[in-house]
Amino acid sequence: MLYDIKLHLHYGYAAAAGGGRHQVRVLPQTITGVQRVIAASLLFQPNPAERADFSDFFGNNVTAIAVRDAHEELHVRMSARVSVSRPEAGLDVSPDIPGLRGELDAVRSLSAEAPHHFLAASNHAGIDPVITAYARESLAGSAIATAVDLCNRIHRDFTYDGKATTVQTRASDAFALQRGVCQDFSHIMIAGLRGLGIPAGYVSGFLRTIPPKGKPRLEGADAMHAWVKAWCGRDAGWQEFDPTNGMRASNDHITVGYGRDYSDVAPIVGVLKTTGEQIGEQAVDVIPVAA
């Protein structure tokens, strides 16, 4: 699949900011065998006095900016053309949980892809005994079968509610509410898998949405999406699951970044010299392009 992606982040400040520094993670990345970025651009208004583009530890594209002049709002605009061609799910060659532990012990690496980084509790996805007990009901004959079942159960058991949580909500709080958004469902699944001993991480990106039959596509109606990656053993490697939609990641999923949880791949983080409230708005278009 070939996509044109447009993202607009807008932040407005009650009082003019005297300056600010931000790190932005919204540019898709090229992933061997999964997706290729053909072209991409990232623009800011006001124009930053400083800008540096680099990759973080997990290989995510990061743009650091500094705005020195007073400003009442910040606009971030990203556009990209991306080709996605995920391999189809093959035979389940993942071990059971005891076998997975043995294969995990044999990994002698601390590279960004090493599963060890994704096994311990993290800020948004702590290991919670209640969530672990819930995840234990999904235990099946293999790591992949367990992850698939947990993914489907979260999709079935939790209610999508954009007003129930915030970006600060942790997995345990969203689990207690039994509702939330893609970020929350991903954190719950990550916490559950880690509680079972399956390394799991957070994937930030975009999802192509298809309008109801006979209805036009609404510009800017899409939003950034989140799903889960799980390490399912030496042969199966990393597999990706979307608990919000109860499915494996497909060619409709476009990856921006990987991390232990939302904290590692938040679209924008930083500091400002200002007072009063701030508002934030997000608009995303994911448009299929005829090859």
Side-chain angles (χ1 to χ4, degrees):
M1 291 295 297
L2 188 64
Y3 297 104
D4 279 343
I5 304 168
K6 295 181 180 180
L7 165 71
H8 179 205
L9 301 178
H10 169 246
Y11 299 92
Y13 314 125
R21 287 186 174 273
H22 309 277
Q23 287 192 353
V24 180
R25 290 173 171 84
V26 296
L27 283 168
Q29 57 177 285
T30 292
I31 304 167
T32 303
V34 176
Q35 72 180 34
R36 179 170 62 95
V37 177
I38 299 169
S41 66
L42 183 59
L43 302 175
F44 301 92
Q45 184 184 0
N47 193 40
E50 298 178 20
R51 173 172 175 164
D53 297 278
F54 61 94
S55 296
D56 65 15
F57 175 75
F58 292 114
N60 305 317
N61 294 316
V62 186
T63 300
I65 63 168
V67 180
R68 302 197 185 283
D69 296 334
H71 56 288
E72 296 180 348
E73 55 186 3
L74 174 68
H75 294 270
V76 181
R77 291 183 173 87
M78 187 280 295
S79 61
R81 174 163 287 191
V82 182
S83 174
V84 183
S85 182
R86 292 178 181 271
E88 293 186 8
L91 295 174
D92 183 352
V93 294
S94 63
D96 59 14
I97 301 304
L100 185 71
R101 293 193 188 102
E103 294 189 8
L104 182 61
D105 290 342
V107 176
R108 305 296 183 183
S109 170
L110 288 177
S111 69
E113 282 289 306
H116 304 296
H117 302 297
F118 303 91
L119 192 57
S122 58
N123 184 40
H124 284 80
I127 296 178
D128 184 309
V130 177
I131 299 178
T132 300
Y134 175 82
R136 193 171 289 118
E137 297 176 21
S138 288
L139 280 172
S142 70
I144 287 179
T146 297
V148 167
D149 190 74
L150 181 59
C151 174
N152 292 336
R153 286 175 58 222
I154 291 172
H155 172 66
R156 183 184 69 237
D157 295 344
F158 291 77
T159 301
Y160 192 95
D161 184 348
K163 297 181 179 180
T165 58
T166 71
V167 292
Q168 283 80 35
T169 301
R170 289 175 167 79
S172 56
D173 298 320
F175 186 86
L177 291 171
Q178 297 284 293
R179 59 183 58 238
V181 295
C182 58
Q183 173 183 314
D184 304 300
F185 303 151
S186 296
H187 284 149
I188 290 168
M189 184 171 176
I190 291 167
L193 291 175
R194 289 175 180 171
L196 298 178
I198 300 176
Y202 188 96
V203 190
S204 171
F206 304 102
L207 176 65
R208 174 198 179 193
T209 57
I210 301 174
K213 188 176 182 179
K215 298 291 185 180
R217 202 181 157 281
L218 299 177
E219 291 189 7
D222 297 331
M224 292 197 74
H225 193 53
W227 59 99
V228 176
K229 69 171 189 174
W231 192 77
C232 296
R234 178 186 58 243
D235 296 322
W238 289 102
Q239 303 289 322
E240 297 185 10
F241 307 87
D242 182 350
T244 305
N245 296 291
M247 63 186 295
R248 304 282 288 264
S250 69
N251 285 342
D252 290 335
H253 292 74
I254 303 106
T255 301
V256 167
Y258 299 106
R260 292 161 296 185
D261 61 28
Y262 173 82
S263 300
D264 287 333
V265 287
I268 184 169
V269 295
V271 293
L272 286 168
K273 294 180 180 179
T274 189
T275 60
E277 296 183 352
Q278 303 175 33
I279 60 168
E281 299 172 324
Q282 179 184 130
V284 174
D285 288 321
V286 179
I287 305 168
V289 179

